[in-house]
Amino acid sequence: MSAASRAPLRSNLSNRSNRASTTASTTGRVRRRVALTTGAVAVALLATACGSGGTSGGGGQTGFVTGADGISTVKEGERADAPDLSGKTVDGGQLDVDDYKGKVVVLNVWGSWCPPCRAEAKNFEKVYQDVKDQGVQFVGINTRDTSTGPARAFEEEFGVSYPSLYDPTGKLMLRFEKGTLNPQAIPSTLVIDREGKVAARTLQALSEEKLRKMLDPYLTDESGEPAKSEQ
C-alpha cells in the first residue's frame, strides 16, 4: 500500500479515536451530573424525612387553622373522623385505637432513626403520666423501622410505657383524610377528641410545654369545664 493510500486510513482512524474520546468524556460528565443530582435529592429527602416538620400537610379540605406556634386546630363540628387504626404493636401485641373512644387520644408518629423523635420522647412520657388518669390515652405510630428491634430499644431507652402501632411502610398514615398528615414530616402528633375526631395536629417535634398547650383544651374536669394538666 502506498504512503498516499495509507494517509486517509490513518486520518480515519484518528477521527474515530477522537470521536470515541469525546463521547466517553461527554458520557462521563453526564454520569457525574446525574450522580450529583441523585445525591442532592437523597440528602434533601433525608432532611425532610426527619426534622422540625412544618405546617403544611398537603392538599385537602381538613379545616385546620395553624397558630403561630405551629399547632393546628379544627373547630368542633368541622372535625373529620379518625380512620381505622389497628394492627400489630411494637411489642408484638394487637391494638385498635377505636377501643379508646370516649378518651382523648394523643397519636405520635415516630421512628427510632429520627433524632427529633428521640428529643421529644421523654416529654411525651412525662405528660402521659400526668394526664392518663384524666381520660387520656397516648398511642405511638412507629414508622420506617425495618424491624421492631430498634423500636423496642427506643421505648426501653426513653421509658415509653404507652403502646405503639408498628407501621413500617406508613400505610396507617395514608388512611387519614388528605391534608391531615405529611408522611415526610416525622415526628408528627395528632389529638383525637372523645368523639373519635381529629381535633389538632402539629408536624414538628414538641417540647413538654408545647405538648401540654396542645392537649389542655381537650381535657375536662367533672363539671365539663377545661381542666389544666398538672405542671
Side-chain angles (χ1 to χ4, degrees):
M1 180 181 295
S2 67
S5 63
R6 286 197 300 270
L9 178 60
R10 286 195 299 269
S11 178
N12 290 338
L13 289 173
S14 177
N15 289 338
R16 285 198 294 270
S17 177
N18 289 337
R19 287 196 297 270
S21 177
T22 300
T23 301
S25 177
T26 302
T27 301
R29 287 196 298 271
V30 170
R31 286 176 177 171
R32 284 194 294 273
R33 284 198 296 269
V34 170
L36 288 171
T37 301
T38 302
V41 170
V43 170
L45 287 175
L46 180 60
T48 57
C50 182
S52 60
T55 57
S56 175
Q61 301 299 318
T62 53
F64 285 111
V65 177
T66 304
D69 55 6
I71 296 173
S72 305
T73 57
V74 185
K75 292 180 181 179
E76 193 171 359
E78 298 180 9
R79 299 169 185 169
D81 290 328
D84 168 51
L85 297 170
S86 60
K88 180 183 176 182
T89 60
V90 163
D91 62 4
Q94 292 289 322
L95 185 148
D96 187 342
V97 172
D98 196 53
D99 291 341
Y100 298 129
K101 196 166 184 179
K103 291 187 174 185
V104 175
V105 177
V106 177
L107 284 175
N108 178 241
V109 184
W110 63 277
S112 69
W113 44 268
C114 169
C117 301
R118 302 176 70 84
E120 71 174 6
K122 288 186 177 180
N123 302 331
F124 274 73
E125 179 61 26
K126 187 176 190 307
V127 174
Y128 174 59
Q129 291 299 328
D130 287 347
V131 302
K132 65 181 182 179
D133 293 332
Q134 299 180 48
V136 180
Q137 177 64 49
F138 279 35
V139 176
I141 299 180
N142 171 257
T143 189
R144 299 188 200 169
D145 275 312
T146 56
S147 69
T148 57
R152 290 197 303 269
F154 177 102
E155 291 183 334
E156 183 176 351
E157 179 180 356
F158 295 104
V160 177
S161 62
Y162 51 85
S164 284
L165 289 161
Y166 180 53
D167 185 31
T169 61
K171 64 181 181 180
L172 294 180
M173 297 175 66
L174 295 176
R175 292 180 182 178
F176 284 91
E177 185 176 339
K178 184 179 180 182
T180 300
L181 284 175
N182 182 341
Q184 291 186 338
I186 308 297
S188 297
T189 301
L190 297 175
V191 174
I192 298 176
D193 68 19
R194 299 181 192 276
E195 302 300 318
K197 298 179 181 295
V198 179
R201 71 144 187 228
T202 188
L203 309 180
Q204 61 183 328
L206 290 173
S207 64
E208 180 185 339
E209 179 184 6
K210 274 196 174 182
L211 177 56
R212 291 184 188 278
K213 181 180 180 181
M214 183 178 185
L215 179 59
D216 278 351
Y218 310 100
L219 303 178
T220 57
D221 59 24
E222 293 180 356
S223 67
E225 295 298 321
K228 298 294 183 182
S229 57
E230 297 179 4
Q231 297 295 324

